[in-house]
Amino acid sequence: MLLKTVLTMFASLLKGANWSSQDRCEEGILKQSPFQLIMNQIKRKKSSVEKGKHQCSSGTRFFRGLHTGKSDGESKGESERAEIDNSRPDNQNEKQAPCVAVPVLPFLPELEELNLSWNDFVGGALKPLALRLHHMSKLKILQLNNCRLTAEDVTSLGEALETIPHLEELDLSWNNNIGGKLSLLTKRFQTGCKIKILKFTDCSLTTKDGESLDRAFQYLPELNKLDLLCNKEIGGGFKDSATHLAGFKDLEVLDLHRCCVTEEDMVVLTQVIPLLSSLQELNLSSNKNIGVSSNYLFSRLRFLPKLKSVVVSSCSLGEDSFASLAETALHLPELEILDLSWNKCVGGNLKLLLEALKLATEIRTLRLSSCSLVAEDLTLLALEVQGGHLAKLQKLDLNYNDTVSDEGWATFFQGLTALKELSELDVSLWPSSCRDCGMWFSKLLTDLSKLPAFTEIGMQRWALPESQQRQMESFNQDTKRNVHFDY
């Protein structure tokens, strides 16, 4: 309760900060006793995570709280979170607000999570906070997403790392200014570093940054998640990292989505990925070179028995690489998510994959969006479903496959009731398309009423006459369900 009160006080201070300098800020606050400070600033506000996300997009900023340590009446390991939302301060207060946080830090020695994400005022002013992170030596999670961090901020953060030895997660995503400057941080990694999760989503990282990560990997033996999503300039930066990457025996998630992976990088990944024995999630989407040289890589995924998610959408796969992946899927018994969207070679060749899916008894999500599927593909898929395969499937994405004939769709929907756990289905058409549903629409509604877990169907660009619209609009009332029709 004390920590939550302190955080509430801190949030209120951030909103109303009006000090001219850091020294004046500290002096003005520290003249008061902690008790007076807390009692004078108590200001409760109600918020939720969903409300927070909405407000964040409209300009509201957050200080997201914490996991407290053990207290009376709590068992060891129990924690509570406090989340406070505040109206965005004006430009003057944005520049001055960081100084308000500084004197509060000594009152949070048990803090384990600090989230200052989506606060513009942090950019260029992180140093005062970083210098006092030693007051929070138990900090495990530090998130600074979209804070307009500068090179000076990255330097300050790097210097502060040794004062927070228990840090496990560092998230600097959506800070475009740190591209080319990541070495200012990574050169500070030292032996004994406990970081398990690194996130640099869309940070404009360059090949130089990739090389600096290579050198830092030797100090991250416990890393289990590496997220480099949407760093288009980092391609080519993995050519010297084979030795260090191979040592990540605990790595569970590797996300290289839209990183412009080069053919040289592919050589490295082909050598390294099969050695990541704990890997569970692999995302290589939107890397065109994957399709050129992925045969050997895909064939080696069979050595990863814990692999649960393979996402290779929009990778320009060819028939050979798709066949290689389909064969490998036979050896992935734990596979739950497979995303092959935007790979046109799947159309007419889905039968190669369906053999593997007979054995993939754990598959929950199958995405085949814009794969140029044909009627034969859906007929074969329907047969597998009717045969009792894909019994645990929850999400099926077939949108943007206008190449399927009306007969193909009708055949597919006939076997839908066998997917007892299906909750989401998308059969939307291309934005430029418009087709009649035909006679299968009534059958579809009947089948949906028999699927107890079903909640949403995408049917954009399918034209519905007035009679079918009435059927759809009365569906939930007639069946006492709550299915969302997106059309």
Side-chain angles (χ1 to χ4, degrees):
M1 178 62 70
L2 175 61
L3 275 177
K4 184 177 291 186
T5 304
V6 170
L7 288 175
T8 306
M9 171 273 294
F10 174 53
S12 181
L13 286 173
L14 281 179
K15 181 177 180 181
N18 193 28
W19 288 267
S20 59
S21 68
Q22 176 182 330
D23 293 337
R24 182 180 176 186
C25 169
E26 294 186 25
E27 180 181 1
I29 293 179
L30 293 180
K31 282 183 179 178
Q32 305 179 60
S33 69
F35 178 77
Q36 290 173 321
L37 185 63
I38 292 169
M39 295 305 296
N40 290 339
Q41 297 296 336
I42 289 178
K43 186 177 183 180
R44 298 184 181 276
K45 295 187 178 183
K46 295 181 180 180
S47 63
S48 65
V49 173
E50 290 303 316
K51 178 182 177 182
K53 291 179 180 178
H54 172 74
Q55 291 178 328
C56 181
S57 64
S58 62
T60 305
R61 297 295 182 259
F62 300 91
F63 174 83
R64 179 174 292 177
L66 61 150
H67 295 295
T68 65
K70 184 180 179 181
S71 61
D72 293 340
E74 290 183 331
S75 61
K76 185 176 181 180
E78 286 183 336
S79 62
E80 64 175 344
R81 288 173 177 255
E83 183 170 316
I84 301 94
D85 64 304
N86 299 276
S87 299
R88 181 177 181 178
D90 58 28
N91 291 338
Q92 181 182 2
N93 287 344
E94 278 190 3
K95 296 178 181 179
Q96 298 163 347
C99 75
V100 182
V102 174
V104 179
L105 298 187
F107 302 124
L108 305 174
E110 302 295 319
L111 194 70
E112 294 186 0
E113 179 177 352
L114 178 61
N115 188 340
L116 294 174
S117 298
W118 304 93
N119 284 287
D120 294 344
F121 66 74
V122 176
L126 187 62
K127 187 174 182 178
L129 288 172
L131 288 174
R132 289 160 177 79
L133 284 178
H134 64 277
H135 291 296
M136 299 184 294
S137 59
K138 296 184 180 181
L139 194 66
K140 292 183 178 181
I141 300 174
L142 179 57
Q143 296 173 311
L144 296 167
N145 297 336
N146 197 19
C147 286
R148 299 185 181 179
L149 299 185
T150 65
E152 182 182 1
D153 296 326
V154 176
T155 299
S156 299
L157 183 58
E159 294 172 347
L161 284 179
E162 64 181 26
T163 68
I164 43 176
H166 300 290
L167 191 67
E168 296 181 1
E169 178 177 339
L170 179 60
D171 190 348
L172 303 182
S173 297
W174 298 296
N175 286 288
N176 294 325
N177 292 329
I178 70 176
K181 309 176 186 69
L182 194 61
S183 62
L184 298 174
L185 172 71
T186 56
K187 69 181 181 182
R188 296 288 182 170
F189 290 163
Q190 300 178 2
T191 302
C193 183
K194 297 183 181 297
I195 291 179
K196 297 179 180 180
I197 299 175
L198 274 180
K199 295 182 180 180
F200 299 114
T201 299
D202 199 6
C203 283
S204 299
L205 299 187
T206 65
T207 299
K208 177 182 176 182
D209 295 317
E211 293 170 352
S212 74
L213 272 171
D214 294 344
R215 293 190 293 270
F217 284 157
Q218 60 185 308
Y219 302 113
L220 301 171
E222 299 184 29
L223 193 68
N224 60 35
K225 182 173 183 177
L226 180 60
D227 182 347
L228 299 176
L229 167 68
C230 291
N231 287 287
K232 298 180 181 179
E233 302 300 322
I234 201 172
F238 298 97
K239 57 181 180 295
D240 299 320
S241 62
T243 302
H244 298 312
L245 281 172
F248 288 151
K249 301 302 181 183
D250 295 327
L251 193 68
E252 297 178 357
V253 179
L254 179 59
D255 193 336
L256 300 178
H257 178 198
R258 198 174 295 175
C259 283
C260 293
V261 172
T262 66
E263 292 190 40
E264 288 181 316
D265 293 330
M266 282 299 301
V267 173
V268 174
L269 293 173
T270 299
Q271 296 172 350
V272 171
I273 286 180
L275 304 178
L276 305 177
S277 55
S278 297
L279 197 66
Q280 296 181 20
E281 300 178 23
L282 177 63
N283 190 336
L284 298 174
S285 294
S286 299
N287 288 291
K288 301 301 181 182
N289 283 317
I290 299 293
V292 176
S293 54
S294 59
N295 291 7
Y296 295 116
L297 173 61
F298 289 156
S299 65
R300 295 187 179 186
L301 294 183
R302 68 182 65 195
F303 299 112
L304 301 174
K306 297 181 181 180
L307 201 59
K308 295 182 178 181
S309 174
V310 177
V311 182
V312 288
S313 65
S314 192
C315 282
S316 298
L317 299 186
E319 290 188 12
D320 290 342
S321 54
F322 173 61
S324 177
L325 178 59
E327 183 180 357
T328 297
L330 290 167
H331 305 277
L332 301 176
E334 301 298 319
L335 192 64
E336 295 180 3
I337 299 173
L338 180 59
D339 188 345
L340 291 166
S341 298
W342 301 88
N343 288 294
K344 306 300 183 182
C345 67
V346 179
N349 294 302
L350 190 61
K351 58 181 178 293
L352 300 176
L353 180 64
L354 293 178
E355 289 299 315
L357 293 181
K358 289 180 179 179
L359 303 179
T361 56
E362 300 299 317
I363 197 79
R364 261 72 168 179
T365 300
L366 179 60
R367 300 193 183 281
L368 301 170
S369 173
S370 190
C371 282
S372 296
L373 300 182
V374 296
E376 181 186 6
D377 295 321
L378 289 195
T379 298
L380 294 174
L381 180 60
L383 289 175
E384 296 302 325
V385 169
Q386 293 170 11
H389 305 297
L390 302 174
K392 294 185 179 181
L393 193 65
Q394 297 173 357
K395 299 179 181 180
L396 179 59
D397 186 352
L398 300 174
N399 79 87
Y400 291 3
N401 283 291
D402 296 46
T403 43
V404 176
S405 65
D406 292 339
E407 292 76 12
W409 288 115
T411 301
F412 168 73
F413 288 126
Q414 288 177 3
L416 202 60
T417 53
L419 298 175
K420 297 298 184 183
E421 297 188 21
L422 190 68
S423 61
E424 297 179 20
L425 172 66
D426 196 339
V427 294
S428 299
L429 302 175
W430 277 96
S432 59
S433 302
C434 184
R435 289 168 61 178
D436 294 329
C437 288
M439 298 302 296
W440 52 260
F441 181 76
S442 297
K443 178 65 166 59
L444 171 63
L445 291 182
T446 301
D447 290 347
L448 293 183
S449 67
K450 300 176 182 178
L451 299 178
F454 200 83
T455 60
E456 183 171 351
I457 181 169
M459 295 186 60
Q460 294 185 24
R461 269 79 64 183
W462 286 101
L464 301 176
E466 186 175 345
S467 59
Q468 291 180 337
Q469 289 188 36
R470 286 198 299 269
Q471 283 182 280
M472 184 176 61
E473 291 168 357
S474 63
F475 175 83
N476 286 324
Q477 182 178 355
D478 295 342
T479 61
K480 294 181 172 58
R481 300 288 299 280
N482 188 23
V483 175
H484 174 63
F485 293 86
D486 183 12
Y487 71 101

